[in-house]
Amino acid sequence: MRPIIGLTHSLQGNEDSVYTPTSYPNAIIEAGGTPIFLPVTSDPELLSQYLDMVDGILFTGGDDIDPQFFGENQIWGCGEVIPKRDECEIRLCRMALERKTPVLGICRGIQLLNVALGGTLYQDLASQKKDSIRHQQQQRSRYGSHPVALSNGSRLAGIYGRNSVMVNSHHHQAVKDAAEALAVTALSPDGVIEGIEMPGHPFFVGVQWHPERQVQNPEDTEHIKLFRAFVDACRPA
Ligand code: MN
Protein backbone atom coordinates (compact mmCIF):
# COMPACT_ATOMS: atom_id res chain seq x y z
CA MET A 1 0.00 0.00 0.00
CA ARG A 2 1.31 3.43 -0.89
CA PRO A 3 1.03 5.83 2.03
CA ILE A 4 -1.42 8.67 1.50
CA ILE A 5 0.20 12.08 1.86
CA GLY A 6 -1.99 15.14 2.36
CA LEU A 7 -0.62 18.29 0.73
CA THR A 8 -1.51 21.83 1.68
CA HIS A 9 -1.86 24.37 -1.11
CA SER A 10 -1.92 28.09 -1.75
CA LEU A 11 -4.74 30.35 -2.90
CA GLN A 12 -4.74 32.71 -5.83
CA GLY A 13 -6.78 35.52 -7.29
CA ASN A 14 -9.38 36.73 -4.85
CA GLU A 15 -8.51 33.70 -2.68
CA ASP A 16 -10.99 31.85 -4.90
CA SER A 17 -8.56 29.58 -6.74
CA VAL A 18 -6.35 26.76 -5.57
CA TYR A 19 -2.71 27.01 -6.56
CA THR A 20 0.24 24.70 -6.14
CA PRO A 21 3.23 23.69 -8.28
CA THR A 22 2.97 20.09 -9.53
CA SER A 23 6.53 19.41 -8.37
CA TYR A 24 5.22 18.63 -4.87
CA PRO A 25 2.80 15.82 -5.76
CA ASN A 26 5.23 14.57 -8.41
CA ALA A 27 8.01 14.15 -5.84
CA ILE A 28 5.63 12.28 -3.49
CA ILE A 29 4.60 9.96 -6.33
CA GLU A 30 8.22 9.33 -7.29
CA ALA A 31 9.03 8.49 -3.68
CA GLY A 32 6.23 5.88 -3.48
CA GLY A 33 3.41 7.86 -1.90
CA THR A 34 -0.08 8.84 -3.04
CA PRO A 35 -0.64 12.61 -2.84
CA ILE A 36 -3.99 14.22 -2.11
CA PHE A 37 -4.74 17.91 -1.59
CA LEU A 38 -6.30 19.28 1.58
CA PRO A 39 -8.46 22.34 0.86
CA VAL A 40 -8.08 25.33 3.17
CA THR A 41 -10.47 25.30 6.11
CA SER A 42 -10.37 26.31 9.76
CA ASP A 43 -13.12 23.86 10.78
CA PRO A 44 -11.54 21.55 13.39
CA GLU A 45 -13.93 18.73 12.47
CA LEU A 46 -12.81 18.84 8.84
CA LEU A 47 -9.16 19.07 9.82
CA SER A 48 -9.61 16.08 12.08
CA GLN A 49 -11.17 14.14 9.22
CA TYR A 50 -8.25 15.08 6.96
CA LEU A 51 -5.94 13.56 9.55
CA ASP A 52 -8.05 10.36 9.63
CA MET A 53 -7.59 10.08 5.87
CA VAL A 54 -3.84 10.58 5.54
CA ASP A 55 -0.65 8.85 6.69
CA GLY A 56 1.43 12.04 6.57
CA ILE A 57 1.24 15.74 5.73
CA LEU A 58 3.42 17.84 3.46
CA PHE A 59 3.26 21.56 4.26
CA THR A 60 4.08 23.19 0.92
CA GLY A 61 5.60 26.54 -0.03
CA GLY A 62 3.87 29.78 -0.92
CA ASP A 63 3.22 33.23 0.44
CA ASP A 64 4.67 34.78 3.58
CA ILE A 65 3.30 33.87 6.98
CA ASP A 66 1.38 36.70 8.61
CA PRO A 67 3.59 38.03 11.46
CA GLN A 68 0.50 38.35 13.69
CA PHE A 69 0.91 34.59 14.23
CA PHE A 70 4.25 35.14 15.94
CA GLY A 71 3.25 38.34 17.71
CA GLU A 72 4.69 40.99 15.38
CA ASN A 73 3.39 43.75 13.13
CA GLN A 74 4.27 43.61 9.45
CA ILE A 75 7.48 45.43 8.50
CA TRP A 76 7.89 47.04 5.06
CA GLY A 77 9.74 44.03 3.65
CA CYS A 78 6.99 41.55 4.48
CA GLY A 79 5.29 40.17 1.36
CA GLU A 80 1.71 39.15 0.67
CA VAL A 81 0.09 37.08 3.38
CA ILE A 82 -3.01 34.87 3.36
CA PRO A 83 -4.08 34.67 7.01
CA LYS A 84 -6.78 32.07 6.44
CA ARG A 85 -4.24 29.68 4.95
CA ASP A 86 -1.92 30.31 7.91
CA GLU A 87 -4.70 29.67 10.39
CA CYS A 88 -5.68 26.42 8.68
CA GLU A 89 -2.13 25.10 8.57
CA ILE A 90 -1.20 26.14 12.12
CA ARG A 91 -4.24 24.23 13.42
CA LEU A 92 -3.52 21.26 11.18
CA CYS A 93 0.11 21.16 12.31
CA ARG A 94 -0.80 21.22 16.01
CA MET A 95 -3.43 18.51 15.52
CA ALA A 96 -0.96 16.39 13.54
CA LEU A 97 1.52 16.73 16.38
CA GLU A 98 -1.04 15.44 18.89
CA ARG A 99 -1.49 12.33 16.74
CA LYS A 100 2.21 11.94 15.96
CA THR A 101 1.39 12.06 12.25
CA PRO A 102 4.58 12.34 10.17
CA VAL A 103 5.09 15.85 8.83
CA LEU A 104 7.41 17.42 6.25
CA GLY A 105 7.56 21.19 5.76
CA ILE A 106 9.14 22.77 2.69
CA CYS A 107 10.16 26.45 2.37
CA ARG A 108 7.15 28.28 3.82
CA GLY A 109 6.44 24.86 5.35
CA ILE A 110 9.48 24.95 7.69
CA GLN A 111 8.41 28.43 8.77
CA LEU A 112 4.88 27.21 9.37
CA LEU A 113 6.04 24.33 11.58
CA ASN A 114 8.18 26.71 13.59
CA VAL A 115 5.43 29.32 14.07
CA ALA A 116 2.83 26.65 14.93
CA LEU A 117 5.10 25.56 17.79
CA GLY A 118 5.80 29.07 19.06
CA GLY A 119 8.92 30.11 17.11
CA THR A 120 9.52 33.35 15.21
CA LEU A 121 10.61 34.34 11.68
CA TYR A 122 12.66 36.90 9.85
CA GLN A 123 9.95 38.75 7.92
CA ASP A 124 12.56 39.83 5.37
CA LEU A 125 16.18 38.67 5.45
CA ALA A 126 17.50 41.53 3.29
CA SER A 127 16.32 44.17 5.77
CA GLN A 128 16.59 42.22 9.04
CA LYS A 129 19.79 40.24 8.53
CA LYS A 130 22.04 42.40 6.42
CA ASP A 131 25.04 40.04 6.55
CA SER A 132 23.06 37.24 4.96
CA ILE A 133 24.05 35.74 1.61
CA ARG A 134 21.70 35.77 -1.37
CA HIS A 135 18.75 33.53 -0.63
CA GLN A 136 16.85 34.35 -3.79
CA GLN A 137 18.97 32.70 -6.44
CA GLN A 138 18.89 33.70 -10.08
CA GLN A 139 19.63 30.30 -11.60
CA ARG A 140 16.96 27.69 -12.18
CA SER A 141 15.57 26.03 -9.08
CA ARG A 142 16.70 22.55 -10.06
CA TYR A 143 20.26 23.71 -9.26
CA GLY A 144 21.61 24.35 -5.78
CA SER A 145 23.14 27.77 -5.03
CA HIS A 146 24.46 27.50 -1.48
CA PRO A 147 25.46 24.66 0.83
CA VAL A 148 23.82 23.80 4.13
CA ALA A 149 25.70 22.15 6.98
CA LEU A 150 23.77 19.23 8.46
CA SER A 151 24.23 18.56 12.19
CA ASN A 152 26.03 15.39 13.21
CA GLY A 153 23.62 12.69 14.25
CA SER A 154 20.55 14.55 12.95
CA ARG A 155 17.82 12.91 10.92
CA LEU A 156 18.66 15.15 7.96
CA ALA A 157 22.34 14.09 8.05
CA GLY A 158 21.21 10.47 8.22
CA ILE A 159 18.84 10.88 5.28
CA TYR A 160 21.37 12.61 3.04
CA GLY A 161 24.21 10.41 4.32
CA ARG A 162 26.57 13.39 4.58
CA ASN A 163 27.12 16.54 6.62
CA SER A 164 26.77 19.10 3.82
CA VAL A 165 24.50 19.35 0.78
CA MET A 166 23.97 21.95 -1.96
CA VAL A 167 20.48 23.41 -1.91
CA ASN A 168 18.51 25.88 -3.96
CA SER A 169 17.34 29.08 -2.31
CA HIS A 170 14.10 30.90 -3.05
CA HIS A 171 13.13 32.59 0.17
CA HIS A 172 13.25 36.03 1.76
CA GLN A 173 11.81 34.90 5.07
CA ALA A 174 13.43 32.34 7.38
CA VAL A 175 13.22 30.82 10.84
CA LYS A 176 14.61 33.32 13.38
CA ASP A 177 14.12 31.83 16.84
CA ALA A 178 13.43 28.13 16.61
CA ALA A 179 10.59 26.83 18.76
CA GLU A 180 11.77 25.19 21.97
CA ALA A 181 10.64 21.71 20.91
CA LEU A 182 12.66 21.84 17.69
CA ALA A 183 16.32 21.12 17.03
CA VAL A 184 18.11 23.22 14.40
CA THR A 185 19.84 20.70 12.12
CA ALA A 186 20.72 22.61 8.93
CA LEU A 187 22.46 25.98 8.63
CA SER A 188 23.48 28.02 5.59
CA PRO A 189 26.98 29.62 5.57
CA ASP A 190 25.63 32.90 7.02
CA GLY A 191 24.00 31.08 9.93
CA VAL A 192 20.45 31.22 8.60
CA ILE A 193 18.41 28.26 9.87
CA GLU A 194 17.51 25.99 6.93
CA GLY A 195 16.50 22.76 8.67
CA ILE A 196 14.61 21.85 11.84
CA GLU A 197 13.40 18.59 13.31
CA MET A 198 11.71 17.33 16.45
CA PRO A 199 13.88 14.83 18.31
CA GLY A 200 12.05 11.63 19.19
CA HIS A 201 9.15 12.24 16.81
CA PRO A 202 8.49 9.60 14.09
CA PHE A 203 9.08 12.29 11.43
CA PHE A 204 8.76 16.02 12.01
CA VAL A 205 11.16 17.76 9.65
CA GLY A 206 11.26 21.15 7.93
CA VAL A 207 13.65 22.36 5.23
CA GLN A 208 14.02 25.87 3.85
CA TRP A 209 15.06 24.68 0.37
CA HIS A 210 12.92 23.17 -2.39
CA PRO A 211 14.00 19.52 -2.76
CA GLU A 212 10.96 18.88 -4.99
CA ARG A 213 12.52 21.13 -7.63
CA GLN A 214 16.04 19.73 -7.30
CA VAL A 215 14.71 16.21 -7.97
CA GLN A 216 13.71 17.51 -11.41
CA ASN A 217 17.41 17.70 -12.27
CA PRO A 218 18.17 14.30 -13.84
CA GLU A 219 21.71 14.50 -12.46
CA ASP A 220 20.53 15.02 -8.90
CA THR A 221 20.47 11.87 -6.78
CA GLU A 222 20.47 13.53 -3.34
CA HIS A 223 17.12 15.15 -2.81
CA ILE A 224 14.79 12.25 -3.62
CA LYS A 225 16.23 10.69 -0.44
CA LEU A 226 14.32 13.19 1.68
CA PHE A 227 10.99 12.30 0.04
CA ARG A 228 11.70 8.56 0.28
CA ALA A 229 12.53 8.87 3.98
CA PHE A 230 9.34 10.87 4.58
CA VAL A 231 7.09 8.49 2.62
CA ASP A 232 8.68 5.47 4.35
CA ALA A 233 8.01 7.07 7.75
CA CYS A 234 4.34 7.42 6.70
CA ARG A 235 3.87 3.70 5.97
CA PRO A 236 1.22 2.36 8.36
CA ALA A 237 2.86 -0.12 10.76
MN1 MN B 1 18.70 29.68 1.51
Side-chain angles (χ1 to χ4, degrees):
M1 257 305 259
R2 299 170 69 101
I4 297 171
I5 312 297
L7 275 64
T8 64
H9 62 72
S10 193
L11 298 170
Q12 261 192 346
N14 191 25
E15 299 183 0
D16 53 2
S17 303
V18 164
Y19 169 78
T20 195
T22 54
S23 48
Y24 295 107
N26 288 348
I28 293 297
I29 291 168
E30 196 184 333
T34 297
I36 62 168
F37 285 103
L38 306 175
V40 172
T41 176
S42 54
D43 181 342
E45 204 180 318
L46 265 177
L47 293 171
S48 175
Q49 205 171 3
Y50 288 170
L51 285 162
D52 293 340
M53 290 161 52
V54 303
D55 301 303
I57 296 180
L58 170 55
F59 288 91
T60 57
D63 291 295
D64 290 356
I65 291 174
D66 190 330
Q68 68 166 298
F69 294 110
F70 48 95
E72 293 182 12
N73 294 309
Q74 290 184 29
I75 63 165
W76 286 100
C78 187
E80 185 175 351
V81 298
I82 307 177
K84 74 178 181 188
R85 180 185 179 192
D86 300 336
E87 207 180 322
C88 164
E89 294 188 2
I90 287 169
R91 283 190 187 183
L92 186 60
C93 179
R94 289 174 181 165
M95 290 168 76
L97 191 57
E98 277 173 31
R99 298 187 185 208
K100 294 206 166 183
T101 302
V103 159
L104 174 63
I106 291 179
C107 196
R108 166 197 155 88
I110 182 180
Q111 299 163 13
L112 188 285
L113 303 188
N114 188 49
V115 169
L117 271 65
T120 65
L121 304 180
Y122 287 110
Q123 295 185 40
D124 180 51
L125 281 170
S127 52
Q128 293 184 308
K129 186 169 167 51
K130 293 194 191 295
D131 62 344
S132 58
I133 60 170
R134 175 187 239 165
H135 287 282
Q136 288 178 306
Q137 71 184 49
Q138 294 297 303
Q139 71 259 51
R140 291 176 190 274
S141 52
R142 62 178 179 269
Y143 303 117
S145 69
H146 70 66
V148 287
L150 307 175
S151 307
N152 273 337
S154 66
R155 187 183 287 267
L156 279 171
I159 289 168
Y160 281 96
R162 50 201 301 171
N163 56 20
S164 174
V165 65
M166 282 299 285
V167 300
N168 57 17
S169 201
H170 295 279
H171 57 109
H172 83 111
Q173 297 203 321
V175 170
K176 189 176 174 193
D177 300 308
E180 218 176 288
L182 299 173
V184 173
T185 56
L187 288 173
S188 57
D190 52 4
V192 168
I193 294 171
E194 298 241 359
I196 52 169
E197 47 194 86
M198 184 178 290
H201 189 282
F203 196 103
F204 192 98
V205 175
V207 296
Q208 185 57 67
W209 57 96
H210 281 283
E212 81 287 359
R213 297 191 205 160
Q214 289 186 260
V215 301
Q216 294 174 329
N217 178 354
E219 284 165 26
D220 184 89
T221 55
E222 298 295 323
H223 292 281
I224 193 65
K225 293 174 185 171
L226 180 54
F227 291 103
R228 289 210 182 105
F230 173 51
V231 168
D232 284 346
C234 295
R235 273 179 217 289

